[in-house]
Amino acid sequence: MGRRKGGIGIALATGVILAGTSACGGGHGSDAAAGDGASASGKPAASASPSPTKPAGPPMLLETITPQTGTTVGVAMPISVIFTNPVAAKARATVEKHMKVSASQPVAGAWHWFGDRRADWRPKTYWPAGTKVKIDADMKGVSNGNGRYGVHGYTHTFQVGDDVRADVSVTGHTMKVTRNGKAVRTLSINAGSAQYPTWNGTMAVIDKQEKVHMTSCSVGISCDKGSANYYDLTLPWDVHLTQSGTYVHYSTGDPDPGSGSARGSHGCVHLSLADAKWFYGQVKQGDPVTITGSSRAKAPADNGYADFNLGWDQWLAGSASGEQTATTL
């Protein structure tokens, strides 16, 4: 199910605006993230001018930093930085070194570039539950390699909460939920149809909403009201997994998931109304939802926060400065 919105992101100063496609995948839609269209609820005040040793030029600014300061997130949540302008390959190592990650527990991790405007830092394995994390992005005087120089420093602090995970078996029609390694509940689910299969892989929760208006037209499935694949619905208890529109939620068209009677979704994971409400109350941004058994490939790593769909060697291949250990807080 779904509708389109802007890109993912968190306003630098205050508010959280995590937006993406609300769709259930739109089986043949784009495999990549939608872009950087989040609204900012605040602008940071200028704190300094570029270093006098650097030539004057237009500013290099950070559009968003995820997670928002003060939030508690899941163990699969990356630090995601989006720049307002492209960062040249020759400048990325220097830029990475000026984005210092500190943690209360030592963790190995690295930056990885998705294109020339988004850089994510993730640990090699999931964050330990309870870890406190800080990112100091001291961009003052730093060049983006394209004639722009940073004029601000940015700091975000957040905490990793309980280790909540959901493991979805498409073929088994189940979702197993664990907290800190202990089984909590196993829920009945239905996933995507053969025509619109669900993404495989691990996707960290982007955000969640109590109600989302979803339409088939917005994701290119069908704009024909006479089509069997047409829908225009507002559905409850929506946990957002990908920008291309994958959700875990309740659907009025599939009220009894796991019964074997449903023809499948348009890519989402369906729960019963009671289970959807319960699951909504359990998860937070950054909790990993891992889906197996679908005929579809793993979600691209930048389709939301699916960073852990890349192996560590693949992750390091997109880093300019390589593996590092977070500084101890």
Side-chain angles (χ1 to χ4, degrees), residues 170-206:
V170 172
T171 54
H173 297 281
T174 59
M175 172 192 282
K176 296 180 180 179
V177 180
T178 62
R179 181 181 294 273
N180 298 323
K182 296 181 179 180
V184 181
R185 285 182 65 181
T186 297
L187 310 175
S188 295
I189 66 99
N190 280 329
S193 66
Q195 185 179 5
Y196 299 105
T198 305
W199 289 112
N200 273 314
T202 296
M203 292 144 274
V205 171
I206 297 174

Side-chain angles (χ1 to χ4, degrees), residues 65-304:
I65 297 177
T66 311
Q68 182 189 22
T69 286
T71 54
T72 298
V73 300
V75 296
M77 188 69 210
I79 298 169
S80 188
V81 176
I82 296 177
F83 294 82
T84 55
N85 298 95
V87 177
K90 63 184 179 182
R92 291 176 193 168
T94 298
V95 169
E96 288 178 21
K97 290 176 182 177
H98 281 81
M99 297 191 296
K100 179 182 174 183
V101 177
S102 304
S104 60
Q105 301 183 55
V107 290
W111 290 99
H112 180 99
W113 290 83
F114 296 112
D116 54 14
R117 292 182 59 216
R118 175 179 170 182
D120 284 11
W121 195 98
R122 52 153 272 210
K124 186 174 182 179
T125 58
Y126 291 158
W127 298 101
T131 303
K132 296 178 180 179
V133 186
K134 181 180 181 181
I135 173 173
D136 287 301
D138 182 10
M139 295 288 103
K140 295 186 293 291
V142 177
S143 171
N144 74 346
N146 289 316
R148 292 179 176 270
Y149 291 85
V151 295
H152 296 303
Y154 308 88
T155 300
H156 275 223
T157 58
F158 61 94
Q159 182 158 337
V160 180
D162 284 348
D163 184 348
V164 177
R165 309 185 191 191
D167 292 292
V168 175
S169 169
V170 172
T171 54
H173 297 281
T174 59
M175 172 192 282
K176 296 180 180 179
V177 180
T178 62
R179 181 181 294 273
N180 298 323
K182 296 181 179 180
V184 181
R185 285 182 65 181
T186 297
L187 310 175
S188 295
I189 66 99
N190 280 329
S193 66
Q195 185 179 5
Y196 299 105
T198 305
W199 289 112
N200 273 314
T202 296
M203 292 144 274
V205 171
I206 297 174
D207 60 10
K208 60 182 184 179
Q209 292 176 262
E210 289 189 10
K211 294 181 180 179
V212 173
H213 180 211
M214 301 186 176
T215 69
S216 57
C217 191
S218 68
V219 290
I221 292 176
S222 177
C223 297
D224 178 6
K225 292 184 178 181
S227 169
N229 286 310
Y230 178 84
Y231 56 84
D232 185 341
L233 300 166
T234 298
L235 297 172
W237 311 121
D238 305 284
V239 176
H240 192 188
L241 300 185
T242 69
Q243 281 182 282
S244 60
T246 308
Y247 284 79
V248 178
H249 68 158
Y250 170 74
S251 173
T252 53
D254 188 14
D256 188 23
S259 66
S261 61
R263 61 187 175 91
S265 74
H266 290 90
C268 284
V269 175
H270 289 168
L271 296 170
S272 71
L273 182 59
D275 286 351
K277 184 176 181 179
W278 177 85
F279 183 67
Y280 182 95
Q282 299 298 307
V283 295
K284 58 191 174 296
Q285 182 187 39
D287 284 339
V289 177
T290 300
I291 298 174
T292 57
S294 175
S295 61
R296 201 172 191 184
K298 289 183 178 180
D302 61 347
N303 189 353

